[in-house]
Amino acid sequence: MTEASRGWRAEVGAHVVFEAVTWQIVALVGQAVRLVAENGTTASVLAAHLCADPGFRVVKDDARPKVPQWGLFEGIDAAARERALAWQRHIREIEYGLPTGPGSPGAPRPQFDPERHSLAERERAKAEELAALGWAKASVPTVRRMRARYREGGLWRAGRRAQAAADESDRARG
């Protein structure tokens, strides 16, 4: 562990270097740390293993916003929160194969199985599924944007976008 890492506390949203790759911590589950790299690669490692890596360091990037608190998510309207929560399940299914995330019980649906399909194929399958369900503007670029927003700011960022879309729709009708 480097001097810059001493006294560091793992938290969702932090950026670290592990095995010569920069990762963002996206979840802490018991002693497991879930990581996502810029290219979308995911990993789950024990915290002790993460910190024992000779190249481990905390990336000091004050320009990146911290992951917002749950209270901010509660500040957006109920419809936008519901839509953000729906997106969360879809994003988790794309990234991990299961809508409840990694380590969840069950088997991935065939079109979302990370062992059988690339991330791009899973994004395309999700866009097709959402379009078939009647989701407006469900396309591969939309799915990618929502994944990026979710990774950057979690539910709050996805929810803010859902609320902005609803507001635009109301203005267009209005």
Side-chain angles (χ1 to χ4, degrees):
M1 186 180 300
T2 64
E3 185 64 36
S5 304
R6 291 191 200 297
W8 170 76
R9 214 179 97 217
E11 60 184 19
V12 173
H15 289 80
V16 298
V17 174
F18 171 66
E19 295 183 344
V21 176
T22 300
W23 305 85
Q24 181 176 20
I25 297 175
V26 294
L28 300 167
V29 181
Q31 299 214 6
V33 180
R34 310 269 195 225
L35 304 167
V36 176
E38 289 292 322
N39 67 3
T41 302
T42 61
S44 180
V45 298
L46 292 175
H49 181 69
L50 175 74
C51 294
D53 179 56
F56 172 79
R57 67 182 173 86
V58 177
V59 177
K60 299 290 185 193
D61 187 355
D62 297 329
R64 285 190 183 254
K66 298 270 187 206
V67 174
Q69 300 298 315
W70 185 258
L72 293 175
F73 179 67
E74 293 297 318
I76 59 177
D77 69 53
R81 283 196 311 265
E82 287 178 28
R83 187 145 174 105
L85 287 167
W87 268 110
Q88 179 182 44
R89 292 181 59 80
H90 292 299
I91 291 165
R92 285 178 175 169
E93 187 169 35
I94 294 165
E95 293 182 349
Y96 307 111
L98 297 167
T100 50
S104 302
R109 293 189 290 159
Q111 68 270 36
F112 299 109
D113 187 345
E115 299 292 321
R116 296 172 56 192
H117 297 283
S118 70
L119 180 59
E121 290 170 329
R122 297 189 313 268
E123 287 173 334
R124 188 172 35 259
K126 183 56 71 176
E128 290 169 0
E129 177 185 66
L130 295 175
L133 291 172
W135 283 43
K137 300 180 184 178
S139 64
V140 172
T142 298
V143 168
R144 287 184 179 145
R145 275 193 304 276
M146 289 306 286
R147 280 188 58 241
R149 286 185 181 116
Y150 181 75
R151 281 197 318 266
E152 289 172 11
L155 280 173
W156 184 73
R157 177 91 193 260
R160 282 187 48 214
R161 179 62 194 124
Q163 183 167 347
D167 293 346
E168 289 170 18
S169 178
D170 288 345
R171 278 194 296 275
R173 277 186 251 146

